[in-house]
Amino acid sequence: MANYQTPESKKQEFRKYLEKSGVIDAFTKVLVGLYEEPERPQNAVDYIKRYMGAPTGIDVEALKSECEQLRKDKTDLENQVRELNNRLNEGA
């Protein structure tokens, strides 16, 4: 028999998970902090990210591209080392 959960029970289970893991408290604190700001920030999402400790102003796509290039460079260098070791072993 399949394990069937109603949408309501899934919601309740997810709420319990969020509460148990501290997410509800963290969001409550950040929203209270936003509410208590004397001047509303231009970008509420950036405010929340900063409050939660996430870096802002980072170009994720540029980082992904750089990471991919570095991986390719690493592979190329590993191949070069392997080739040079082979040459060295053949010469010895």
Side-chain angles (χ1 to χ4, degrees):
M1 189 168 187
N3 186 9
Y4 178 75
Q5 287 185 314
T6 65
E8 193 57 40
S9 65
K10 279 184 165 183
K11 285 181 191 177
Q12 188 63 26
E13 183 179 312
F14 188 66
R15 279 189 202 116
K16 285 179 184 177
Y17 161 74
L18 292 176
E19 198 171 311
K20 184 177 178 183
S21 62
V23 173
I24 301 287
D25 288 338
F27 279 148
T28 300
K29 287 177 185 175
V30 75
L31 292 174
V32 167
L34 180 60
Y35 177 78
E36 291 176 347
E37 278 292 311
E39 291 184 30
R40 300 283 184 247
Q42 289 286 340
N43 189 332
V45 173
D46 281 346
Y47 173 88
I48 291 170
K49 286 179 182 178
R50 262 194 325 279
Y51 194 95
M52 300 293 281
T56 57
I58 292 179
D59 185 357
V60 175
E61 290 305 315
L63 288 174
K64 285 180 181 179
S65 176
E66 180 184 8
C67 183
E68 185 60 36
Q69 183 61 47
L70 290 171
R71 284 186 178 140
K72 181 185 175 304
D73 292 348
K74 177 183 172 270
T75 301
D76 292 346
L77 289 171
E78 287 172 342
N79 290 336
Q80 186 178 1
V81 166
R82 193 174 300 113
E83 183 181 319
L84 291 171
N85 280 333
N86 288 340
R87 278 192 191 160
L88 188 62
N89 290 335
E90 288 173 2

Tab-separated table of all heavy atoms in Angstrom, residues 31-84:
chain	number	residue	atom	x	y	z
A	31	LEU	N	12.674	39.552	9.957
A	31	LEU	CA	11.506	40.376	9.614
A	31	LEU	C	11.237	41.422	10.688
A	31	LEU	O	10.852	42.554	10.372
A	31	LEU	CB	10.283	39.492	9.365
A	31	LEU	CG	10.377	38.628	8.103
A	31	LEU	CD1	9.180	37.681	8.010
A	31	LEU	CD2	10.482	39.479	6.849
A	32	VAL	N	11.448	41.067	11.942
A	32	VAL	CA	11.308	42.046	13.023
A	32	VAL	C	12.363	43.135	12.850
A	32	VAL	O	12.072	44.330	12.996
A	32	VAL	CB	11.415	41.368	14.410
A	32	VAL	CG1	11.586	42.394	15.517
A	32	VAL	CG2	10.190	40.507	14.667
A	33	GLY	N	13.597	42.740	12.518
A	33	GLY	CA	14.648	43.712	12.273
A	33	GLY	C	14.296	44.655	11.136
A	33	GLY	O	14.511	45.874	11.227
A	34	LEU	N	13.739	44.120	10.087
A	34	LEU	CA	13.314	44.939	8.945
A	34	LEU	C	12.184	45.874	9.355
A	34	LEU	O	12.185	47.067	9.012
A	34	LEU	CB	12.872	44.047	7.782
A	34	LEU	CG	12.407	44.727	6.506
A	34	LEU	CD1	13.517	45.594	5.922
A	34	LEU	CD2	11.962	43.691	5.487
A	35	TYR	N	11.246	45.371	10.122
A	35	TYR	CA	10.116	46.179	10.588
A	35	TYR	C	10.594	47.329	11.473
A	35	TYR	O	10.067	48.435	11.412
A	35	TYR	CB	9.130	45.284	11.353
A	35	TYR	CG	7.968	46.036	11.931
A	35	TYR	CD1	6.905	46.426	11.130
A	35	TYR	CD2	7.931	46.361	13.286
A	35	TYR	CE1	5.830	47.121	11.665
A	35	TYR	CE2	6.861	47.063	13.827
A	35	TYR	CZ	5.815	47.435	13.012
A	35	TYR	OH	4.764	48.135	13.537
A	36	GLU	N	11.610	47.071	12.297
A	36	GLU	CA	12.086	48.073	13.240
A	36	GLU	C	13.082	49.061	12.632
A	36	GLU	O	13.492	49.995	13.312
A	36	GLU	CB	12.700	47.375	14.456
A	36	GLU	CG	11.654	46.664	15.298
A	36	GLU	CD	12.247	45.887	16.460
A	36	GLU	OE1	13.479	45.682	16.510
A	36	GLU	OE2	11.452	45.464	17.325
A	37	GLU	N	13.469	48.861	11.388
A	37	GLU	CA	14.363	49.815	10.724
A	37	GLU	C	13.684	51.175	10.654
A	37	GLU	O	12.530	51.264	10.218
A	37	GLU	CB	14.687	49.355	9.291
A	37	GLU	CG	15.778	48.340	9.187
A	37	GLU	CD	17.136	48.890	9.559
A	37	GLU	OE1	17.531	49.964	9.066
A	37	GLU	OE2	17.814	48.225	10.353
A	38	PRO	N	14.377	52.243	11.060
A	38	PRO	CA	13.765	53.576	11.000
A	38	PRO	C	13.469	54.011	9.559
A	38	PRO	O	12.446	54.627	9.295
A	38	PRO	CB	14.796	54.498	11.643
A	38	PRO	CG	16.006	53.685	11.887
A	38	PRO	CD	15.690	52.252	11.647
A	39	GLU	N	14.359	53.646	8.646
A	39	GLU	CA	14.121	53.937	7.232
A	39	GLU	C	14.105	52.618	6.477
A	39	GLU	O	15.019	51.814	6.610
A	39	GLU	CB	15.226	54.833	6.675
A	39	GLU	CG	15.201	56.235	7.239
A	39	GLU	CD	16.259	57.108	6.581
A	39	GLU	OE1	16.590	56.871	5.406
A	39	GLU	OE2	16.752	58.010	7.272
A	40	ARG	N	13.084	52.428	5.697
A	40	ARG	CA	12.975	51.184	4.932
A	40	ARG	C	14.088	51.120	3.887
A	40	ARG	O	14.306	52.069	3.145
A	40	ARG	CB	11.622	51.092	4.216
A	40	ARG	CG	10.435	51.117	5.150
A	40	ARG	CD	10.256	49.769	5.835
A	40	ARG	NE	9.057	49.779	6.660
A	40	ARG	CZ	9.087	49.702	7.973
A	40	ARG	NH1	10.218	49.623	8.600
A	40	ARG	NH2	7.981	49.702	8.677
A	41	PRO	N	14.786	49.992	3.815
A	41	PRO	CA	15.825	49.855	2.797
A	41	PRO	C	15.204	49.809	1.396
A	41	PRO	O	14.061	49.360	1.228
A	41	PRO	CB	16.510	48.536	3.132
A	41	PRO	CG	15.669	47.857	4.136
A	41	PRO	CD	14.707	48.841	4.685
A	42	GLN	N	15.964	50.265	0.406
A	42	GLN	CA	15.485	50.250	-0.979
A	42	GLN	C	15.182	48.821	-1.424
A	42	GLN	O	14.202	48.584	-2.105
A	42	GLN	CB	16.536	50.865	-1.916
A	42	GLN	CG	16.698	52.343	-1.775
A	42	GLN	CD	15.533	53.107	-2.387
A	42	GLN	OE1	14.800	52.593	-3.223
A	42	GLN	NE2	15.369	54.340	-1.947
A	43	ASN	N	16.057	47.902	-1.050
A	43	ASN	CA	15.898	46.516	-1.486
A	43	ASN	C	15.787	45.617	-0.257
A	43	ASN	O	16.790	45.318	0.399
A	43	ASN	CB	17.086	46.109	-2.355
A	43	ASN	CG	16.875	44.761	-3.025
A	43	ASN	OD1	16.162	43.913	-2.510
A	43	ASN	ND2	17.502	44.580	-4.174
A	44	ALA	N	14.584	45.191	0.031
A	44	ALA	CA	14.338	44.372	1.222
A	44	ALA	C	15.037	43.010	1.126
A	44	ALA	O	15.516	42.486	2.132
A	44	ALA	CB	12.839	44.180	1.435
A	45	VAL	N	15.135	42.468	-0.072
A	45	VAL	CA	15.779	41.159	-0.235
A	45	VAL	C	17.265	41.263	0.111
A	45	VAL	O	17.804	40.403	0.813
A	45	VAL	CB	15.581	40.620	-1.672
A	45	VAL	CG1	16.394	39.357	-1.900
A	45	VAL	CG2	14.102	40.348	-1.930
A	46	ASP	N	17.934	42.329	-0.350
A	46	ASP	CA	19.339	42.513	-0.002
A	46	ASP	C	19.508	42.704	1.498
A	46	ASP	O	20.463	42.202	2.094
A	46	ASP	CB	19.942	43.713	-0.751
A	46	ASP	CG	20.294	43.372	-2.183
A	46	ASP	OD1	20.331	42.172	-2.527
A	46	ASP	OD2	20.538	44.318	-2.961
A	47	TYR	N	18.577	43.425	2.116
A	47	TYR	CA	18.615	43.613	3.570
A	47	TYR	C	18.554	42.248	4.264
A	47	TYR	O	19.328	41.961	5.174
A	47	TYR	CB	17.454	44.491	4.031
A	47	TYR	CG	17.348	44.594	5.532
A	47	TYR	CD1	18.047	45.568	6.230
A	47	TYR	CD2	16.561	43.695	6.255
A	47	TYR	CE1	17.967	45.652	7.619
A	47	TYR	CE2	16.473	43.767	7.629
A	47	TYR	CZ	17.177	44.746	8.308
A	47	TYR	OH	17.103	44.818	9.677
A	48	ILE	N	17.636	41.404	3.828
A	48	ILE	CA	17.463	40.084	4.434
A	48	ILE	C	18.718	39.238	4.205
A	48	ILE	O	19.196	38.564	5.121
A	48	ILE	CB	16.199	39.388	3.881
A	48	ILE	CG1	14.953	40.131	4.391
A	48	ILE	CG2	16.161	37.919	4.268
A	48	ILE	CD1	13.667	39.711	3.733
A	49	LYS	N	19.270	39.297	3.006
A	49	LYS	CA	20.492	38.541	2.727
A	49	LYS	C	21.628	38.992	3.636
A	49	LYS	O	22.357	38.165	4.187
A	49	LYS	CB	20.916	38.721	1.270
A	49	LYS	CG	20.060	37.960	0.284
A	49	LYS	CD	20.549	38.230	-1.122
A	49	LYS	CE	19.711	37.540	-2.158
A	49	LYS	NZ	20.173	37.860	-3.526
A	50	ARG	N	21.791	40.302	3.781
A	50	ARG	CA	22.847	40.830	4.642
A	50	ARG	C	22.620	40.393	6.087
A	50	ARG	O	23.535	39.984	6.790
A	50	ARG	CB	22.899	42.361	4.566
A	50	ARG	CG	23.925	42.905	3.633
A	50	ARG	CD	24.177	44.379	3.814
A	50	ARG	NE	23.056	45.219	4.186
A	50	ARG	CZ	22.130	45.689	3.354
A	50	ARG	NH1	22.195	45.403	2.076
A	50	ARG	NH2	21.155	46.449	3.794
A	51	TYR	N	21.389	40.500	6.538
A	51	TYR	CA	21.038	40.138	7.905
A	51	TYR	C	21.314	38.657	8.165
A	51	TYR	O	21.763	38.286	9.242
A	51	TYR	CB	19.560	40.447	8.155
A	51	TYR	CG	19.163	40.423	9.608
A	51	TYR	CD1	19.134	41.597	10.363
A	51	TYR	CD2	18.789	39.242	10.234
A	51	TYR	CE1	18.749	41.587	11.692
A	51	TYR	CE2	18.403	39.220	11.564
A	51	TYR	CZ	18.391	40.391	12.290
A	51	TYR	OH	18.015	40.373	13.606
A	52	MET	N	21.054	37.840	7.164
A	52	MET	CA	21.253	36.398	7.300
A	52	MET	C	22.709	36.003	7.057
A	52	MET	O	23.067	34.844	7.219
A	52	MET	CB	20.347	35.639	6.321
A	52	MET	CG	18.857	35.877	6.513
A	52	MET	SD	18.189	35.229	8.032
A	52	MET	CE	18.036	33.522	7.640
A	53	GLY	N	23.529	36.971	6.645
A	53	GLY	CA	24.952	36.692	6.474
A	53	GLY	C	25.368	36.322	5.067
A	53	GLY	O	26.514	35.953	4.845
A	54	ALA	N	24.460	36.414	4.125
A	54	ALA	CA	24.813	36.081	2.747
A	54	ALA	C	25.510	37.264	2.088
A	54	ALA	O	25.132	38.406	2.302
A	54	ALA	CB	23.555	35.710	1.953
A	55	PRO	N	26.531	36.985	1.303
A	55	PRO	CA	27.194	38.085	0.598
A	55	PRO	C	26.272	38.649	-0.479
A	55	PRO	O	25.485	37.926	-1.075
A	55	PRO	CB	28.421	37.424	-0.021
A	55	PRO	CG	28.120	35.969	-0.052
A	55	PRO	CD	27.132	35.701	1.042
A	56	THR	N	26.373	39.950	-0.698
A	56	THR	CA	25.564	40.585	-1.730
A	56	THR	C	26.481	41.177	-2.776
A	56	THR	O	27.664	41.399	-2.539
A	56	THR	CB	24.681	41.702	-1.142
A	56	THR	OG1	25.518	42.644	-0.480
A	56	THR	CG2	23.658	41.154	-0.173
A	57	GLY	N	25.942	41.438	-3.936
A	57	GLY	CA	26.712	42.051	-5.009
A	57	GLY	C	27.695	41.094	-5.664
A	57	GLY	O	28.692	41.522	-6.216
A	58	ILE	N	27.434	39.804	-5.600
A	58	ILE	CA	28.328	38.820	-6.190
A	58	ILE	C	27.701	38.293	-7.476
A	58	ILE	O	26.531	37.924	-7.508
A	58	ILE	CB	28.592	37.659	-5.212
A	58	ILE	CG1	29.396	38.178	-4.036
A	58	ILE	CG2	29.309	36.518	-5.892
A	58	ILE	CD1	29.693	37.149	-2.994
A	59	ASP	N	28.519	38.262	-8.532
A	59	ASP	CA	28.062	37.755	-9.821
A	59	ASP	C	28.256	36.241	-9.839
A	59	ASP	O	29.361	35.740	-10.063
A	59	ASP	CB	28.840	38.429	-10.948
A	59	ASP	CG	28.343	38.042	-12.323
A	59	ASP	OD1	27.427	37.193	-12.411
A	59	ASP	OD2	28.869	38.590	-13.303
A	60	VAL	N	27.188	35.522	-9.583
A	60	VAL	CA	27.250	34.061	-9.474
A	60	VAL	C	27.673	33.445	-10.806
A	60	VAL	O	28.476	32.504	-10.833
A	60	VAL	CB	25.898	33.490	-9.000
A	60	VAL	CG1	25.905	31.978	-9.009
A	60	VAL	CG2	25.566	34.005	-7.616
A	61	GLU	N	27.158	33.962	-11.901
A	61	GLU	CA	27.507	33.411	-13.210
A	61	GLU	C	28.996	33.572	-13.494
A	61	GLU	O	29.632	32.668	-14.035
A	61	GLU	CB	26.671	34.067	-14.307
A	61	GLU	CG	25.203	33.673	-14.276
A	61	GLU	CD	24.988	32.162	-14.332
A	61	GLU	OE1	25.630	31.477	-15.151
A	61	GLU	OE2	24.172	31.654	-13.532
A	62	ALA	N	29.566	34.714	-13.110
A	62	ALA	CA	31.001	34.928	-13.316
A	62	ALA	C	31.806	33.948	-12.468
A	62	ALA	O	32.824	33.401	-12.926
A	62	ALA	CB	31.382	36.362	-12.971
A	63	LEU	N	31.352	33.691	-11.247
A	63	LEU	CA	32.038	32.725	-10.391
A	63	LEU	C	31.951	31.316	-10.966
A	63	LEU	O	32.930	30.559	-10.931
A	63	LEU	CB	31.457	32.754	-8.980
A	63	LEU	CG	31.789	33.982	-8.151
A	63	LEU	CD1	31.033	33.941	-6.821
A	63	LEU	CD2	33.276	34.098	-7.905
A	64	LYS	N	30.787	30.953	-11.497
A	64	LYS	CA	30.633	29.629	-12.113
A	64	LYS	C	31.555	29.494	-13.317
A	64	LYS	O	32.196	28.459	-13.508
A	64	LYS	CB	29.184	29.404	-12.544
A	64	LYS	CG	28.245	29.115	-11.405
A	64	LYS	CD	26.838	28.895	-11.917
A	64	LYS	CE	25.876	28.622	-10.795
A	64	LYS	NZ	24.498	28.418	-11.283
A	65	SER	N	31.625	30.544	-14.128
A	65	SER	CA	32.487	30.533	-15.300
A	65	SER	C	33.958	30.410	-14.894
A	65	SER	O	34.720	29.637	-15.483
A	65	SER	CB	32.259	31.813	-16.114
A	65	SER	OG	33.129	31.864	-17.196
A	66	GLU	N	34.349	31.176	-13.882
A	66	GLU	CA	35.726	31.114	-13.400
A	66	GLU	C	36.046	29.729	-12.851
A	66	GLU	O	37.124	29.173	-13.110
A	66	GLU	CB	35.950	32.164	-12.320
A	66	GLU	CG	37.356	32.169	-11.767
A	66	GLU	CD	37.553	33.159	-10.629
A	66	GLU	OE1	36.567	33.752	-10.156
A	66	GLU	OE2	38.707	33.324	-10.207
A	67	CYS	N	35.120	29.156	-12.127
A	67	CYS	CA	35.314	27.820	-11.564
A	67	CYS	C	35.499	26.799	-12.682
A	67	CYS	O	36.397	25.945	-12.609
A	67	CYS	CB	34.118	27.449	-10.684
A	67	CYS	SG	34.291	25.865	-9.872
A	68	GLU	N	34.694	26.878	-13.707
A	68	GLU	CA	34.794	25.952	-14.837
A	68	GLU	C	36.146	26.109	-15.535
A	68	GLU	O	36.797	25.120	-15.885
A	68	GLU	CB	33.652	26.186	-15.827
A	68	GLU	CG	33.609	25.197	-16.953
A	68	GLU	CD	33.436	23.762	-16.490
A	68	GLU	OE1	32.717	23.532	-15.500
A	68	GLU	OE2	34.034	22.866	-17.117
A	69	GLN	N	36.604	27.347	-15.717
A	69	GLN	CA	37.900	27.595	-16.345
A	69	GLN	C	39.031	27.046	-15.488
A	69	GLN	O	39.970	26.435	-15.991
A	69	GLN	CB	38.102	29.092	-16.593
A	69	GLN	CG	39.397	29.424	-17.301
A	69	GLN	CD	39.501	28.792	-18.679
A	69	GLN	OE1	38.560	28.851	-19.465
A	69	GLN	NE2	40.623	28.166	-18.970
A	70	LEU	N	38.930	27.230	-14.183
A	70	LEU	CA	39.957	26.707	-13.279
A	70	LEU	C	39.994	25.183	-13.290
A	70	LEU	O	41.075	24.582	-13.221
A	70	LEU	CB	39.735	27.238	-11.859
A	70	LEU	CG	40.010	28.728	-11.666
A	70	LEU	CD1	39.547	29.184	-10.286
A	70	LEU	CD2	41.473	29.043	-11.878
A	71	ARG	N	38.854	24.561	-13.397
A	71	ARG	CA	38.813	23.094	-13.495
A	71	ARG	C	39.500	22.621	-14.776
A	71	ARG	O	40.240	21.637	-14.771
A	71	ARG	CB	37.375	22.595	-13.449
A	71	ARG	CG	36.789	22.618	-12.071
A	71	ARG	CD	35.421	21.979	-12.033
A	71	ARG	NE	34.923	21.974	-10.677
A	71	ARG	CZ	33.679	22.221	-10.340
A	71	ARG	NH1	32.775	22.489	-11.269
A	71	ARG	NH2	33.306	22.195	-9.081
A	72	LYS	N	39.222	23.323	-15.857
A	72	LYS	CA	39.853	22.979	-17.139
A	72	LYS	C	41.364	23.169	-17.038
A	72	LYS	O	42.133	22.299	-17.468
A	72	LYS	CB	39.291	23.849	-18.264
A	72	LYS	CG	39.857	23.543	-19.625
A	72	LYS	CD	39.335	24.521	-20.663
A	72	LYS	CE	39.963	24.317	-22.015
A	72	LYS	NZ	41.406	24.373	-22.026
A	73	ASP	N	41.806	24.286	-16.460
A	73	ASP	CA	43.235	24.534	-16.287
A	73	ASP	C	43.878	23.439	-15.438
A	73	ASP	O	44.989	22.980	-15.738
A	73	ASP	CB	43.477	25.897	-15.639
A	73	ASP	CG	43.096	27.064	-16.537
A	73	ASP	OD1	42.860	26.847	-17.748
A	73	ASP	OD2	43.015	28.200	-16.019
A	74	LYS	N	43.192	23.024	-14.386
A	74	LYS	CA	43.708	21.978	-13.504
A	74	LYS	C	43.890	20.679	-14.279
A	74	LYS	O	44.932	20.021	-14.180
A	74	LYS	CB	42.758	21.774	-12.329
A	74	LYS	CG	43.158	20.655	-11.390
A	74	LYS	CD	42.111	20.486	-10.280
A	74	LYS	CE	42.372	19.276	-9.437
A	74	LYS	NZ	41.723	18.071	-9.932
A	75	THR	N	42.886	20.324	-15.063
A	75	THR	CA	42.969	19.099	-15.856
A	75	THR	C	44.123	19.183	-16.847
A	75	THR	O	44.886	18.220	-17.015
A	75	THR	CB	41.643	18.860	-16.604
A	75	THR	OG1	40.597	18.753	-15.645
A	75	THR	CG2	41.692	17.590	-17.437
A	76	ASP	N	44.266	20.329	-17.508
A	76	ASP	CA	45.364	20.514	-18.450
A	76	ASP	C	46.718	20.368	-17.761
A	76	ASP	O	47.636	19.727	-18.283
A	76	ASP	CB	45.276	21.888	-19.131
A	76	ASP	CG	44.082	22.005	-20.075
A	76	ASP	OD1	43.481	20.962	-20.415
A	76	ASP	OD2	43.756	23.145	-20.457
A	77	LEU	N	46.849	20.971	-16.579
A	77	LEU	CA	48.105	20.881	-15.837
A	77	LEU	C	48.385	19.450	-15.363
A	77	LEU	O	49.535	18.989	-15.395
A	77	LEU	CB	48.096	21.846	-14.655
A	77	LEU	CG	48.182	23.331	-15.026
A	77	LEU	CD1	47.931	24.194	-13.795
A	77	LEU	CD2	49.530	23.652	-15.653
A	78	GLU	N	47.358	18.749	-14.949
A	78	GLU	CA	47.537	17.351	-14.544
A	78	GLU	C	48.015	16.512	-15.718
A	78	GLU	O	48.904	15.663	-15.571
A	78	GLU	CB	46.239	16.787	-13.980
A	78	GLU	CG	45.888	17.308	-12.609
A	78	GLU	CD	44.498	16.900	-12.136
A	78	GLU	OE1	43.661	16.496	-12.966
A	78	GLU	OE2	44.268	17.015	-10.922
A	79	ASN	N	47.437	16.756	-16.885
A	79	ASN	CA	47.861	16.030	-18.084
A	79	ASN	C	49.313	16.361	-18.433
A	79	ASN	O	50.084	15.485	-18.830
A	79	ASN	CB	46.943	16.336	-19.262
A	79	ASN	CG	45.572	15.726	-19.088
A	79	ASN	OD1	45.400	14.740	-18.368
A	79	ASN	ND2	44.582	16.314	-19.734
A	80	GLN	N	49.681	17.615	-18.292
A	80	GLN	CA	51.046	18.045	-18.584
A	80	GLN	C	52.032	17.375	-17.618
A	80	GLN	O	53.092	16.901	-18.035
A	80	GLN	CB	51.150	19.566	-18.487
A	80	GLN	CG	52.480	20.116	-18.915
A	80	GLN	CD	52.509	21.642	-18.849
A	80	GLN	OE1	51.527	22.280	-18.471
A	80	GLN	NE2	53.636	22.212	-19.205
A	81	VAL	N	51.693	17.320	-16.336
A	81	VAL	CA	52.560	16.660	-15.353
A	81	VAL	C	52.707	15.176	-15.696
A	81	VAL	O	53.807	14.619	-15.652
A	81	VAL	CB	52.010	16.860	-13.920
A	81	VAL	CG1	52.683	15.933	-12.932
A	81	VAL	CG2	52.153	18.298	-13.490
A	82	ARG	N	51.599	14.543	-16.044
A	82	ARG	CA	51.627	13.121	-16.399
A	82	ARG	C	52.544	12.896	-17.603
A	82	ARG	O	53.371	11.985	-17.616
A	82	ARG	CB	50.202	12.640	-16.700
A	82	ARG	CG	50.056	11.140	-16.765
A	82	ARG	CD	48.600	10.685	-16.924
A	82	ARG	NE	47.770	11.124	-15.819
A	82	ARG	CZ	46.769	12.033	-15.918
A	82	ARG	NH1	46.484	12.574	-17.077
A	82	ARG	NH2	46.058	12.379	-14.874
A	83	GLU	N	52.389	13.755	-18.606
A	83	GLU	CA	53.213	13.640	-19.808
A	83	GLU	C	54.696	13.842	-19.491
A	83	GLU	O	55.557	13.098	-19.962
A	83	GLU	CB	52.754	14.666	-20.852
A	83	GLU	CG	53.487	14.577	-22.168
A	83	GLU	CD	53.009	15.645	-23.152
A	83	GLU	OE1	51.782	15.886	-23.217
A	83	GLU	OE2	53.878	16.230	-23.818
A	84	LEU	N	55.014	14.839	-18.681
A	84	LEU	CA	56.404	15.097	-18.316
A	84	LEU	C	56.983	13.953	-17.482
A	84	LEU	O	58.158	13.579	-17.642
A	84	LEU	CB	56.517	16.430	-17.570
A	84	LEU	CG	56.261	17.679	-18.409
A	84	LEU	CD1	56.189	18.912	-17.524
A	84	LEU	CD2	57.338	17.838	-19.477
